[in-house]
Amino acid sequence: MTMQSPVVAIRQVEAPLPPAFAAAVTQELFDKLRLEPVPVMFQHEYGNGDTWDGYCPHRTNTERGEVVMAKRLVETTLIKPKASHIQSVYLHEVAHRLTPDAWHNAAFSAMTLVLYLRAGVTDGAELWQLVSLYDAQDEEDVGTAIAWAWKTANELAPTELSAERCGEVILERYTRWRTWLDEKPQREEARQAAIKAREDATKANEQLVADLRESRYWWAAGAFLFGALAAIALRFL
């Protein structure tokens, strides 16, 4: 027996931005970021009591590529909404949108840093100061990953490239960097082999010199003995 009642679906409708979000995420900010605005949806936190600030659904699970933020971040309750927190969460999720499938690796960290560096000062402090190791937690060597992310972000942030293009460049560079890292054992093996070959060559040269010296001594002794025997022979002639 088939179900008689129709299937219903939730559809998005545009709504006015919460004042706290509108004050923090302005057109001026998008201009500094060189970023096209990414739609945002606000949700209450439901579930097992865990709190979250935001998330970035896979694009195929969205209507317009929107990101999601916790509604409590923009509502005045016991704590007044803070512009720097709103910006950092929004840009964190936007960075996910610009580096799809990167999760929390060095590429994502670099993208976040580009956005934070371009955002500049909010609430009296540079937004990049809110960056944490969490952004690169998926890397085996977080320290090396953060160093790469900083270097990459510092190169890209001052450019006129759009944020979207920065994301593409970062992913391209990350692929090359990961390949370079993955080949590190082979490079080390080749380096050690080259060191051993130089050491073996040095030892061979040293042995050759030693052999030549020994041969010289034998030739000198032979010459001396030959000369002595020749002198003795001449005395009896």
Side-chain angles (χ1 to χ4, degrees), residues 82-103:
K82 195 171 183 180
S84 57
H85 192 186
I86 293 172
Q87 287 182 4
S88 67
V89 172
Y90 176 70
L91 296 182
H92 178 101
E93 304 310 334
V94 168
H96 277 302
R97 179 63 68 226
L98 299 179
T99 53
D101 301 322
W103 302 105

Side-chain angles (χ1 to χ4, degrees), residues 18-46:
F21 183 87
V25 183
T26 63
Q27 185 57 50
E28 180 184 2
L29 176 64
F30 287 117
D31 291 342
K32 289 195 294 184
L33 298 173
R34 295 182 275 291
L35 169 73
E36 289 297 318
V38 175
V40 59
M41 182 166 60
F42 297 95
Q43 290 184 355
H44 286 293
E45 299 165 89
Y46 300 108

Side-chain angles (χ1 to χ4, degrees), residues 97-128:
R97 179 63 68 226
L98 299 179
T99 53
D101 301 322
W103 302 105
H104 290 103
N105 62 13
F108 168 74
S109 183
M111 187 70 251
T112 303
L113 279 166
V114 168
L115 297 176
Y116 284 14
L117 287 168
R118 287 182 174 182
V121 176
T122 303
D123 292 333
E126 294 280 351
L127 198 65
W128 66 260

Side-chain angles (χ1 to χ4, degrees), residues 4-197:
Q4 297 300 314
S5 60
V7 174
V8 296
I10 298 175
R11 301 295 298 179
Q12 295 178 10
V13 295
E14 291 191 7
L17 288 172
F21 183 87
V25 183
T26 63
Q27 185 57 50
E28 180 184 2
L29 176 64
F30 287 117
D31 291 342
K32 289 195 294 184
L33 298 173
R34 295 182 275 291
L35 169 73
E36 289 297 318
V38 175
V40 59
M41 182 166 60
F42 297 95
Q43 290 184 355
H44 286 293
E45 299 165 89
Y46 300 108
N48 59 5
D50 292 339
T51 59
W52 48 268
D53 287 345
Y55 63 91
C56 179
H58 194 280
R59 193 174 187 89
T60 57
N61 297 326
T62 69
E63 290 190 21
R64 294 182 296 170
E66 65 274 359
V67 297
V68 180
M69 291 179 62
K71 196 171 182 181
R72 62 178 168 78
L73 298 181
V74 295
E75 291 181 333
T76 300
T77 54
L78 296 177
I79 302 175
K80 182 180 178 181
K82 195 171 183 180
S84 57
H85 192 186
I86 293 172
Q87 287 182 4
S88 67
V89 172
Y90 176 70
L91 296 182
H92 178 101
E93 304 310 334
V94 168
H96 277 302
R97 179 63 68 226
L98 299 179
T99 53
D101 301 322
W103 302 105
H104 290 103
N105 62 13
F108 168 74
S109 183
M111 187 70 251
T112 303
L113 279 166
V114 168
L115 297 176
Y116 284 14
L117 287 168
R118 287 182 174 182
V121 176
T122 303
D123 292 333
E126 294 280 351
L127 198 65
W128 66 260
Q129 295 180 25
L130 297 179
V131 170
S132 71
L133 299 181
Y134 172 81
D135 292 345
Q137 63 178 312
D138 294 339
E139 298 286 354
E140 182 177 351
D141 186 344
V142 175
T144 299
I146 290 293
W148 180 88
W150 267 108
K151 179 178 181 297
T152 303
N154 276 312
E155 291 174 0
L156 293 176
T159 70
E160 292 302 315
L161 293 176
S162 69
E164 293 82 0
R165 179 54 186 154
C166 284
E168 296 170 354
V169 171
I170 287 170
L171 291 175
E172 292 166 3
R173 291 188 183 184
Y174 179 74
T175 299
R176 294 196 298 270
W177 180 66
R178 282 303 320 180
T179 300
W180 180 82
L181 281 182
D182 293 341
E183 293 174 349
K184 186 176 180 179
Q186 293 90 328
R187 290 196 306 275
E188 181 60 22
E189 183 179 346
R191 189 180 74 86
Q192 292 298 333
I195 292 173
K196 187 177 185 305

